[in-house]
Amino acid sequence: MYEFDFVKPTTLADAIAALGAEEAQALGGGQTLIPTLKQRLAAPAVLVSLTGIGEMQGIELGEGQITIGGATPHAAVAAEVAAAYPALAALAGNIGDPAVRNRGTIGGSLANNDPSACYPAAALASGATIVTSNREIAADDYFEGMFTTALEDGELITAVRFPVPEAASYQKFEQPASRFALVGVFVAKYPEGVRVAVTGAAEDGVFRWSEAEVALSADFSPAALEGIDCPAEGMIADLHGTAAYRAHLVKVMTRRAVMAAAG
Amino acid sequence: MPKDHGIGASTKRREDVRFLTGAGRYTDDINLRGQAYVHFLRSDMAHGRITSIDTAAAAGMPGVIRIFTGADFEGIGGLPCGWQVTDKHGQPMQEPAHPVLAQGKVRHVGDPIAAVVAETREQARDAAEAIEVEIEELPAVIDMKAAVQEGAPKVHDDLTSNLCYDWGFVEENKAAVEEAFQKAAHVTTLELVNNRLVANPMEPRVAVGDYDRAGDESTLYTTSQNPHVIRLLMGAFVLGIPEHKLRVVAPDVGGGFGTKIFHYAEEAFCTFAAKAINRPVKWTASRSEAFISDAHGRDHVTTIQLALDAENNFTALRTETYANMGAYLSTFAPSVPTWLHGTLMAGNYKTPLIYVNVKAVFTNTVPVDAYRGAGRPEATFQLERVIDKAAMELGVDPIALRRQNFITEFPYATPVAVEYDTGDYHATMDKLVEMADLDGFAARRAESEARGKLRGLGVNCYIEACGIAPSNLVGQLGARAGLYESATVRVNATGGLVVMTGSHSHGQGHETSFPQVIAEMIGIDESMVEIVHGDTSKVPMGMGTYGSRSIAVGGSAMVRATEKIIKKAKTIAAHLMEAAEADIELKDGQFSVAGTDKSVAWGDVCLAAYVPHNYPLDEIEPGLEETAFYDPSNFTYPSGAYACEVEVDPDTGKVTVERFAAADDFGNIINPMIVTGQVHGGLAQGIGQALLEGAVYDENGQLLSASYMDYAMPRATDVPFYQVDHSCQTPCTHNPLGVKGCGEAGAIGSPPAVVNAVVDALRSGGSGITHIDMPLSPARVWAALQG
């Protein structure tokens, strides 16, 4: 690592003030940022830890919606929303390993927007609202491509609000080495329709598979997907799979998610 | 009833107490007063000519003590190669120089260019970033077959080509093999790749160099499997330090798997730099560095052909293999695809004619050398795959085809220059069929199919050559070292023993199993025996641990030394009891006079040896300490039969190993629990190779799988609960313990079982597939299913 200063504010206001400094960088659970620093691929002057801010912590189970503080670790989500939103809890409980789940935060994951991360699929499929330090952003407007989001400099995710669906499931096919999603599909059924979000597969990061959404909104069953294929264009091709393979997996995982959600 | 102590007992590993409680002392735990740190600036380019290195700015950075480049090593030796292979024309292999720091050219990503020694690690790294290096990029040679084409860019300008050697074995048999193929009723051909692996021991490599100006003595602490070999190679060939002025210590070492056998540039550098700056110098590899500087394993591309007669008897076998050496010759690299591979091509079968051709090739990649099994997994994989393919083509049962061709009479001289002393291949196959419940496979397949899954069964045999090795034989084959082992048994005055062994333990449990042998011989408690290893200042010249040699060779040396101790102790006991030496018996730690009730305890004899008041001083010297060097007369030949059952998800191509059974013949066994553990570990690595692991370079020589984000290691959830049996025992006939060695078997025998099983599964679903190259990743299996 290069040298940096470290601050751990206890209020959102102090965090935002600290982030105003030159070359300041917010630090959530550090599951991406710390390895990046160790490889000397980033050189912030000051790290602003978000884990000491009470107003960014915790989970609120409301009527038909769940609000999760931006600095809430995955393990807390896995434990606390299991009854209210089991598919979301299952997703959180299957990110990385226990150490990752006890450090990594939902806000950190969504701010980073790794194209293979799990949470972006949950947020997009749920039509979640990303609550930031100065506004609310609909998930549909938030994800702008691989490692790119609508967040502005110094803007922090303070909470994420998930409307609870009637039925949902997240199916992750793991990349053999990293165990990130080679393809992950989150299917969520709401009264107004079905949303299908895909992570891991596309060069532009998480996306909604609208053709499947239309079919599943009409008939929420695996049969509805027959005859629909996800195009390979724009899919990631690497050591672990071709674009065609990923496109194929999108359909397989979508079908499995529907079966699991409907079952 | 199983024994509770001595040979054959599952004594719990005493070393685990310190390993599991964080009290192990690894090389990185060693911190010396005044220690400085080195950071290596490594090439990020696979091939290039260094046009300039400017260290001026870096030298002025905070904490920098000194910066070294290749120029500092001019006139100093390069890293030596320990084995010279002679090609099929009788010419020695091409042997390029291997400088400690790059001189003139960089030849692989990770090749060290410069080394910054500074007060702290971070300062060294900061300064390394300030070194200005200009490199003129040259085209990289990555593909082996392209590398040996006329006009290919040369990795080493001073060699005639990228071909290290073209080896034919046995060259004299070539014509007869050709003739047998002409006459064959059936020929099966298979082209396959044995994937390149990164060893990934849990502990990365570390080196600490120290120099004592008062005595002009150098010490190297290093993560090695064989500290004496490092002392000899580094002292004699690189730095010119006589062995009496050089100490090499390999303390607790966290796994080696072969990659810590070799002498590395970082070891020589730290030893050299410590003297140059008169301060200790430490290097600890990061995991990222390990990927691009630890010797890799395997990386063969092979065409194998098996000839059969009309009755399905194997009549001849021939192979052509391209073996990747990487950019330089690592210490034992040339021996792996030749003498550790060609000599095993007979496998468990009485194929009368065999010809093996190996072309070793230089490429702009990390050097490749021995990795768990070293040559034998490559031999086993191709042989057991081509037999399965032959069975498929002929429509016969693959187990029956193997049984029909088994060697059944021992000793058996193979057509590839080795003589198997013992074995019983039908016995291990019988055991396998029973323990793996092969009769129940059809029902299990039906159950899988009902869930939409494809189930496959793969069975294979293996043989390996362990207990490396008879020195006079390997000398004729090009080894530049002897391969004996040493042991000094020191008995203390109060009866406890310290055994100094040249075998090195880096996970094998020697500290537990070796005392079991000595305790059994004397009839005392295992706790009275302590094992010392890994320090050239304490242990007689020994060759270290690899090739499943520790118990077979090191254990034999220990037995020989203990026999000398017992002989002398009997002389002392005879004197104490005023009896004839020939009448003295040793049992349960008591010396007694045959036919009488007279006895004297082990401890009394030991005390007499060191307090020789009543002692036969006219016959023997005081003291009780003996050394033995044991040089084996042959290799040992463990063998076995393995069965793997997989389930394939046809929608995704994902393979899960549902069952794995291993029936091994290791000869006599010292500690069954440790043997089982060794097999478990070997199986995990073999399954890892078959399903997950693969070091992949792009065409520019960038390692794409350079971290755990892309290099897939097997995890606990990737392997099943194994069924392991080693009750089939045909003891080795030529070592005193009748042992064969067990460290590599699992890694040798398991990859073909997995691949055979996956091919079987896919064919059961209607696919016409005959082979898939490892690793059988979901993407590859799915692609194969698409045709």
Side-chain angles (χ1 to χ4, degrees), chain B residues 489 491 495 497 517-525 528 559 561-574 577 580-596 598-606 624:
Chain B
V489 176
V491 182
L497 291 86
V517 174
I518 292 180
E520 173 97 14
M521 290 176 73
I522 300 173
I524 54 174
D525 197 83
M528 291 174 68
V559 168
T562 306
E563 286 169 352
K564 292 184 191 180
I565 293 283
I566 291 172
K567 185 170 186 304
K568 185 171 179 181
K570 281 184 173 177
T571 307
I572 301 168
M577 293 187 283
E581 200 177 315
D583 293 337
I584 304 298
E585 291 172 352
L586 171 61
K587 189 167 184 260
D588 296 335
Q590 292 284 324
F591 294 92
S592 57
V593 182
T596 74
K598 281 205 277 190
S599 75
V600 57
W602 164 256
D604 295 326
V605 172
C606 300
L624 204 47

Side-chain angles (χ1 to χ4, degrees), chain A residues 1-2 38-40 173 175-180 238-242 244-245 248-249 252-253 255-256, chain B residues 122 125-126 129 288 649 651-652 654 692 696 704-705 708-713 715 717-718 778-779 782:
Chain A
M1 294 187 188
Y2 296 107
K38 285 166 88 171
Q39 292 189 62
R40 295 191 160 203
F173 190 80
Q175 194 254 53
S178 69
R179 320 273 161 144
F180 272 67
D238 62 13
L239 265 186
H240 308 287
T242 59
Y245 179 56
H248 166 78
L249 284 179
V252 173
M253 293 298 122
R255 191 170 62 228
R256 289 182 182 181
Chain B
E122 293 297 313
R125 197 169 170 186
D126 286 343
E129 287 179 4
S288 304
D649 180 345
D651 287 340
T652 62
K654 182 160 174 63
L692 295 159
V696 180
L704 299 177
S705 51
Y708 293 136
M709 293 301 281
D710 289 299
Y711 188 93
M713 292 292 284
R715 304 185 190 190
T717 52
D718 296 315
W782 180 78

Side-chain angles (χ1 to χ4, degrees), chain B residues 147-211:
Chain B
V148 293
Q149 295 300 311
E150 194 76 32
K154 285 198 289 183
V155 178
H156 295 276
D157 300 345
D158 52 338
L159 303 187
T160 58
S161 70
N162 293 318
L163 186 65
C164 177
Y165 55 74
D166 186 351
W167 186 73
F169 183 66
V170 175
E171 196 61 26
E172 293 72 33
N173 290 349
K174 192 178 178 187
V177 170
E178 298 292 330
E179 199 183 322
F181 270 90
Q182 300 289 331
K183 291 183 188 159
H186 184 85
V187 173
T188 296
T189 303
L190 181 59
E191 290 180 29
L192 48 79
V193 172
N194 204 296
N195 41 329
R196 178 186 273 248
L197 304 176
V198 181
N200 281 305
M202 196 177 287
E203 176 205 29
R205 287 189 298 117
V206 183
V208 185
D210 190 22
Y211 178 67

Side-chain angles (χ1 to χ4, degrees), chain B residues 355-368:
Chain B
Y355 179 72
V356 178
N357 174 242
V358 177
K359 296 171 181 72
V361 182
F362 293 111
T363 59
N364 292 113
T365 62
V366 169
V368 180

Side-chain angles (χ1 to χ4, degrees), chain A residues 112-199:
Chain A
N112 190 46
N113 192 21
D114 186 305
S116 301
C118 296
Y119 264 128
L124 190 58
S126 304
T129 301
I130 316 298
V131 182
T132 77
S133 43
N134 47 5
R135 58 183 167 148
E136 295 193 351
I137 311 170
D140 283 327
D141 301 325
Y142 175 81
F143 299 102
E144 296 186 343
M146 188 182 281
F147 297 112
T148 312
T149 69
L151 289 177
E152 286 162 8
D153 279 350
E155 187 175 12
L156 294 174
I157 298 175
T158 56
V160 186
R161 213 159 55 225
F162 289 88
V164 177
E166 295 169 354
S169 172
Y170 177 61
Q171 297 290 321
K172 171 163 72 167
F173 190 80
E174 292 179 350
Q175 194 254 53
S178 69
R179 320 273 161 144
F180 272 67
L182 186 72
V183 168
V185 177
F186 202 112
V187 172
K189 181 173 183 289
Y190 288 92
E192 53 272 27
V194 174
R195 292 170 68 103
V196 178
V198 180
T199 188

Side-chain angles (χ1 to χ4, degrees), chain B residues 17 25 137 151 176 194 280 283 307 372 432 491 494 604 625 712 768:
Chain B
V17 174
R25 189 167 186 253
E137 188 163 8
N194 204 296
W283 171 71
R372 202 170 192 171
L432 181 79
V491 182
T494 53
D604 295 326
E625 175 165 328

